[in-house]
Amino acid sequence: MKFFHRITALLLAGVMALGLAACSSVTPEDAETYIQGLLDASYLGQYDPEYLELADITEEESRTEDYEWNTAAEAEILREYLAIQSTDASIQKSVDLIKEIYARSKYEVGAASKLEDGSYAVTVSVQPMDILVRYTSQTDLNQVWQDILTEHGVTDQAALDAMSGEEYMVLEDAYAAAVLDGIRALLPEMGYGPEQSAVLQLQLEGDTYTLVGTDWQHLDSMMIDYSG
């Protein structure tokens, strides 16, 4: 029996409303299965059949709406953080890197608690990944850019100003590749910060359960440590 189905995407969250027929009964185990499945789909690209049934979506839909959406969104955050221009090459490289990082995610879904209003609260424990902190603590991004300029024979601002837009974007792609490859090289020695917890609420509104978007954003911000 399908307890849940997708309704609409929440802005900046990649999570969905869960339609529930009023005569149905959602158990704490259903809530836990849904959250576990959503996390596994969004971060690991793994699609549990029970989650797919609860969400009333296919594996392909989950791959697109959960995994590809989530990794693309995080890759955009990564590019902005590292001052990487979004070109076709840098977008693909950053998404591929985020997928490699997310494959090492560590999280644990706790027991679901039913609230007085019929909603469910599910605690998720996360061990933040420190790869960005490691990279930025040992790398001067300005120096990476200067090295790219030197490698391409750009010795002063006048030479840089004289470049065409196409020539300049070659430099940007080279910078992106150097930075992203530098982060990727640290994957084998990546560590984890102290465990943190977030509560995800499946809010009951009428006969519909909705995963609160701000809760998801809070949890998502824990996965990769950007600040140390």
Side-chain angles (χ1 to χ4, degrees), residues 93-151:
K93 285 184 70 72
S94 60
V95 169
D96 290 343
L97 176 59
I98 286 297
K99 288 179 178 179
E100 292 183 56
I101 295 173
Y102 274 167
R104 294 165 169 78
S105 297
K106 290 186 178 181
Y107 51 82
E108 184 174 352
V109 176
S113 300
K114 192 167 187 177
L115 308 180
E116 291 184 1
D117 65 356
S119 301
Y120 281 102
V122 183
T123 300
V124 179
S125 299
V126 175
Q127 294 184 49
M129 293 175 280
D130 70 358
I131 190 166
L132 265 296
V133 174
R134 285 177 181 263
Y135 180 75
T136 55
S137 68
Q138 64 188 52
T139 305
D140 183 342
L141 295 178
N142 288 325
Q143 187 59 53
V144 174
W145 176 244
Q146 290 302 317
D147 291 344
I148 294 300
L149 295 180
T150 300
E151 290 171 10

Side-chain angles (χ1 to χ4, degrees), residues 2 34 50 75 115 146 150 164 191 201 205 211 214 216:
K2 296 180 180 178
Y34 180 83
E50 291 185 60
L115 308 180
Q146 290 302 317
T150 300
S164 68
Q201 185 175 349
E205 299 176 350
L211 179 54
T214 52
W216 176 267

Side-chain angles (χ1 to χ4, degrees), residues 16 30 66 99 111:
M16 307 292 176
D30 292 328
D66 295 328
K99 288 179 178 179

Side-chain angles (χ1 to χ4, degrees), residues 7-164:
I7 300 290
T8 182
L10 293 173
L11 181 63
L12 298 179
V15 295
M16 307 292 176
L18 311 178
L20 170 64
C23 61
S24 299
S25 176
V26 171
T27 68
E29 290 74 20
D30 292 328
E32 294 160 21
T33 297
Y34 180 83
I35 295 300
Q36 182 73 57
L38 178 60
L39 288 168
D40 291 346
S42 299
Y43 294 103
L44 305 180
Q46 298 176 0
Y47 312 99
D48 176 59
E50 291 185 60
Y51 162 69
L52 297 177
E53 183 175 6
L54 287 170
D56 194 20
I57 55 174
T58 66
E59 181 175 321
E60 183 58 36
E61 287 171 333
S62 180
R63 181 179 295 109
T64 299
E65 297 174 15
D66 295 328
Y67 188 56
E68 298 299 340
W69 193 99
N70 196 49
T71 52
E74 189 65 32
E76 183 175 1
I77 292 171
L78 179 68
R79 293 193 303 275
E80 291 178 357
Y81 179 75
L82 298 169
I84 291 174
Q85 290 287 332
S86 293
T87 66
D88 289 344
S90 69
I91 289 172
Q92 187 60 59
K93 285 184 70 72
S94 60
V95 169
D96 290 343
L97 176 59
I98 286 297
K99 288 179 178 179
E100 292 183 56
I101 295 173
Y102 274 167
R104 294 165 169 78
S105 297
K106 290 186 178 181
Y107 51 82
E108 184 174 352
V109 176
S113 300
K114 192 167 187 177
L115 308 180
E116 291 184 1
D117 65 356
S119 301
Y120 281 102
V122 183
T123 300
V124 179
S125 299
V126 175
Q127 294 184 49
M129 293 175 280
D130 70 358
I131 190 166
L132 265 296
V133 174
R134 285 177 181 263
Y135 180 75
T136 55
S137 68
Q138 64 188 52
T139 305
D140 183 342
L141 295 178
N142 288 325
Q143 187 59 53
V144 174
W145 176 244
Q146 290 302 317
D147 291 344
I148 294 300
L149 295 180
T150 300
E151 290 171 10
H152 288 78
V154 181
T155 57
D156 55 31
Q157 186 64 42
L160 188 62
D161 292 341
M163 300 182 78
S164 68

